[in-house]
């Protein structure tokens, strides 16, 4: 299943970064990286996975 992003909270923030961001979607369980444009997130955690 390809990842599908359903929501990004907050939807915007400072260009300097450093704020927590919640990504809501499907197919995210196998993610090995999160990018904001070309900038990688310093860390990320999949908090729950929907069983299908």
């Amino acid at each position: 299943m390809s990842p599908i992003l359903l929501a990004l909270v907050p939807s915007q923030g400072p260009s300097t970064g450093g704020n927590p961001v919640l990504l809501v979607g499907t197919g995210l369980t196998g993610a090995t990286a999160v990018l904001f444009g070309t900038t990688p997130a310093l860390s990320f955690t999949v908090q729950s996975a929907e069983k299908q």
Side-chain angles (χ1 to χ4, degrees):
M1 166 184 253
S2 296
I4 299 172
L5 186 62
L6 301 172
L8 180 69
V9 181
S11 61
Q12 58 184 333
S15 60
T16 54
N19 293 31
V21 177
L22 174 65
L23 305 175
V24 179
T26 61
L28 304 176
T29 302
T32 58
V34 174
L35 299 174
F36 296 95
T38 58
T39 304
L42 296 177
S43 65
F44 70 95
T45 302
V46 175
Q47 292 187 342
S48 65
E50 184 178 325
K51 295 181 180 178
Q52 297 184 5

